[in-house]
Amino acid sequence: MDAAETGRPGAPPDARDLRRLAGLAGDTPPTSIPEVVERLEAILDEAARSSPRGPDDGIASFTRLYLTITRRIGEMVASGEFRSSPFLVRLDLEFAERFFQALRDYADDARTAPGVWRVLFDNRSDPHVAPVNFAVLGVNAHINYDLAPALVATWRTVPPDGDGADSAQHHDYDLVNDVFALEMDGLREELGSLLSQGPDGAPWDVGANWLSDLVVTFTRDLAWIEATRVWRQGATPQACADSERRLDAIATFIGQGVLRAPLPF
């Protein structure tokens, strides 16, 4: 996939900026949620500082959302709100490492980064893309592409504890949907989404909340189903590679549509 295929509007991003962001992502996987938070804070600050879009930069817009969600999950782990904390923490670390690795790959050679992440990274300074679109681009990449492989990687360390929705792992996985529901309304207002203008509780605000919650829940459910399918195939290298290739193609297609579309949530 070349630059034109990801919707890239002009000149390539400054290589020095990319290397700085990749350096802040770390050169090894994170080992704790506080470490993930620390890296995300640094990436957010640097992305906003180095971009002509400032805090509305694409990477900054997504990282702001991701940081808010991760902080809340860390608080819930610390307060014992999860039934299977080892699973949830490992998933959080595997999930974050996927984003960090995408930044490293892109800085090293953009062609090696997943296509869905390139849609965001290539266009991060485009003045025609709204911050909320950037955030949704990142969510699309992270959930529709990264989440299922992160689940498979997590199960290699913390094996599944059952097949049904009654398992502790599935309960905790679903509990994260509540985190999105709690945090997304304020984040949509901060990012300036189309239907966030006006008082809380207005019909359009309630509708936007419902729609964003539905999208997150639906896509996270699909990621669980895909991870379970790959796991039942033995999670072989070939099965994992085939799954990632298919997920990247689908998520990249969605990302290209999201890039400049007016989003109601």
Side-chain angles (χ1 to χ4, degrees):
M1 180 182 297
D2 59 25
E5 289 178 281
T6 63
R8 195 175 201 160
D14 189 295
R16 291 169 298 178
D17 292 343
L18 296 173
R19 286 195 293 270
R20 282 193 292 268
L21 288 172
L24 295 171
D27 54 9
T28 58
T31 58
S32 69
I33 292 180
E35 185 179 345
V36 172
V37 168
E38 182 178 352
R39 294 188 194 186
L40 291 175
E41 288 173 339
I43 290 168
L44 171 58
D45 290 345
E46 177 60 24
R49 186 202 65 78
S50 64
S51 173
R53 291 290 304 269
D56 289 343
D57 168 79
I59 294 176
S61 296
F62 166 66
T63 304
R64 186 179 308 121
L65 184 154
Y66 188 23
L67 174 59
T68 299
I69 300 296
T70 303
R71 281 175 174 156
R72 177 60 186 139
I73 290 174
E75 292 168 358
M76 293 171 71
V77 169
S79 62
E81 295 181 50
F82 293 109
R83 295 179 184 174
S84 180
S85 288
F87 161 77
L88 204 287
V89 170
R90 173 48 55 186
L91 177 58
D92 195 272
L93 300 181
E94 296 287 354
F95 197 38
E97 175 60 13
R98 301 273 306 184
F99 174 51
F100 297 148
Q101 188 59 52
L103 283 171
R104 297 183 202 115
D105 289 344
Y106 191 81
D108 184 54
D109 181 351
R111 294 169 298 179
T112 68
V116 65
W117 280 115
R118 289 175 57 191
V119 177
L120 174 60
F121 298 162
D122 282 350
N123 295 282
R124 58 176 291 213
S125 299
D126 188 339
H128 302 103
V129 181
V132 69
N133 290 62
F134 283 136
V136 174
L137 282 173
V139 170
N140 169 57
H142 217 26
I143 293 181
N144 287 329
Y145 173 65
D146 285 335
L147 186 51
L151 272 166
V152 173
T154 297
W155 285 331
R156 290 194 176 101
T157 302
V158 185
D161 61 351
D163 292 331
D166 293 334
S167 73
Q169 290 185 6
H170 198 279
H171 168 272
D172 289 352
Y173 184 83
D174 281 351
L175 199 57
V176 175
N177 293 340
D178 296 339
V179 178
F180 275 92
L182 180 67
E183 303 292 349
M184 282 296 289
D185 186 31
L187 286 166
R188 285 189 302 103
E189 293 179 6
E190 183 179 344
L191 293 167
S193 70
L194 189 64
L195 293 184
S196 65
Q197 312 305 315
D200 283 342
W204 54 85
D205 181 65
V206 172
N209 287 340
W210 175 83
L211 182 59
S212 61
D213 294 349
L214 179 65
V215 169
V216 168
T217 300
F218 177 71
T219 53
R220 293 187 82 251
D221 284 348
L222 291 180
W224 182 278
I225 292 168
E226 175 65 10
T228 300
R229 185 187 68 81
V230 172
W231 185 258
R232 287 173 177 169
Q233 290 180 346
T236 63
Q238 186 63 53
C240 291
D242 289 346
S243 175
E244 289 202 38
R245 188 161 44 248
R246 184 169 57 84
L247 292 173
D248 190 23
I250 295 169
T252 300
F253 177 78
I254 294 171
Q256 290 166 342
V258 165
L259 193 58
R260 294 177 182 84
L263 300 178
F265 47 81

